[in-house]
Amino acid sequence: MGRNLQNGGRLRPVDLARGHGLSTQAVRNYEEAGILPAAGRTPHGYRTYTPLHAGALRAFLALVPGHGHQTAASIMRAVNEGAVDEAFRLIDESHAQLLDDRRTLQAVESALRDLEPATAPGPGAASGPGARSGPGGTFIGPLAQKLGIRPATLRTWERAGLVHPRRDPLTGYRVYDEADVRDARLAHQLRRGGYLLEQIAPLIIQVRAAGGLEPLEAALHEWHGRLSARGRAMLAGAAGLEAYLHERRPAGGNTGLPGKVRRGCS
């Protein structure tokens, strides 16, 4: 890997950096991290790059918006080591995560659609932490198990104002009524969607007061936009990576060979 992988004009680190608003040190760091193939050296020890290195840099920068810096770096390292199948696996994982995030958003929207209008306080009705939607309830353990979280997480949510369980007068145990369960489920879905507790608390307060989807419409619209932007960025990243794979392909060869054979070809 110490030699240039294809013939071409010599490029300096500044030549690669200048076109992308990077520092020359960033280019060197990318090479040392395996994101770029190893550079050639002049007799005086200066790094020399080729158009292939420029293609690797373009591919990496195209991958970052959709996959994140860490995954994009891992994809490029795998490609440069000849392990193209591993690169494809990492890409598949990113797409699977995006699909899971879309399903999470759908679950949040479904949870909001299931809110009963009766949860909205009527004129003169109590709307604070003591307001309850009906008798009965569930304890912290069963609710945590139902949501797939730890009881400590529910206690953290309570301190953040996301849920307001009452206390059983005899045992002192927390009791979560239907409204609390709804709020906990909504908080859980929003947390899965990447929202912070301080962002969730005011949304839940609005949902309690309005009893419907309207308070979250702007947030949900933004969430949809972020997912769509990631999906489109992944398409752009795929195009950049495909161009780089084409540049790496030896004359008359292909990039679909098993990893060990590919390393021998590079």
Side-chain angles (χ1 to χ4, degrees):
M1 295 294 295
R3 59 184 175 83
N4 289 328
L5 297 182
Q6 78 173 30
N7 295 325
R10 287 184 177 182
L11 299 171
R12 301 165 299 168
V14 67
D15 296 323
L16 269 67
R18 187 177 291 144
H20 300 283
L22 301 172
S23 67
T24 55
Q25 186 57 51
V27 173
R28 296 187 191 101
N29 291 344
Y30 289 159
E31 181 199 342
E32 291 172 2
I35 294 168
L36 306 183
R41 296 280 182 164
T42 68
H44 298 288
Y46 293 109
R47 287 177 171 86
T48 61
Y49 297 109
T50 70
L52 182 65
H53 294 87
L57 182 58
R58 286 193 299 270
F60 171 68
L61 295 177
L63 288 166
V64 168
H67 298 273
H69 188 282
Q70 182 175 345
T71 299
S74 297
I75 291 169
M76 293 303 298
R77 277 194 293 269
V79 170
N80 291 329
E81 292 169 2
V84 179
D85 285 343
E86 172 62 12
F88 292 160
R89 184 191 68 78
L90 291 167
I91 292 170
D92 289 344
E93 284 189 350
S94 279
H95 282 281
Q97 181 61 59
L98 178 59
L99 178 60
D100 186 61
D101 289 346
R102 289 191 186 280
R103 287 170 173 163
T104 297
L105 174 54
Q106 291 172 350
V108 170
E109 292 176 322
S110 177
L112 288 169
R113 284 195 297 270
D114 290 344
L115 291 177
E116 295 184 7
T119 59
S127 60
R132 295 290 148 237
S133 64
T138 185
F139 294 113
I140 190 169
L143 178 57
Q145 183 176 13
K146 179 180 180 180
L147 295 176
I149 60 177
R150 297 179 302 167
T153 300
L154 282 170
R155 289 192 284 268
T156 299
W157 292 355
E158 180 181 351
R159 290 193 293 270
L162 274 58
V163 291
H164 298 289
R166 59 184 170 89
R167 295 280 184 163
D168 185 280
L170 297 178
T171 65
Y173 294 158
R174 292 173 173 83
V175 180
Y176 298 82
D177 70 3
E178 291 180 4
D180 292 317
V181 172
R182 177 207 68 198
D183 293 346
R185 181 167 61 139
L186 179 56
H188 182 47
Q189 299 290 6
L190 289 169
R191 286 291 290 147
R192 289 185 61 201
Y195 283 82
L196 303 176
L197 294 183
E198 54 265 32
Q199 296 172 309
I200 297 173
L203 295 175
I204 288 184
I205 290 172
Q206 293 179 53
V207 169
R208 288 190 195 121
L213 180 61
E214 292 77 11
L216 282 175
E217 282 185 347
L220 294 173
H221 180 75
E222 178 188 356
W223 193 347
H224 274 289
R226 290 202 308 269
L227 294 180
S228 295
R230 274 175 56 196
R232 187 162 188 173
M234 285 181 178
L235 289 177
L241 182 62
E242 170 58 24
Y244 178 55
L245 290 173
H246 183 77
E247 290 181 76
R248 283 180 57 87
R249 185 178 296 123
N254 62 68
T255 59
L257 299 174
K260 290 183 179 179
V261 176
R262 284 198 303 271
R263 281 191 284 273
C265 290
S266 64

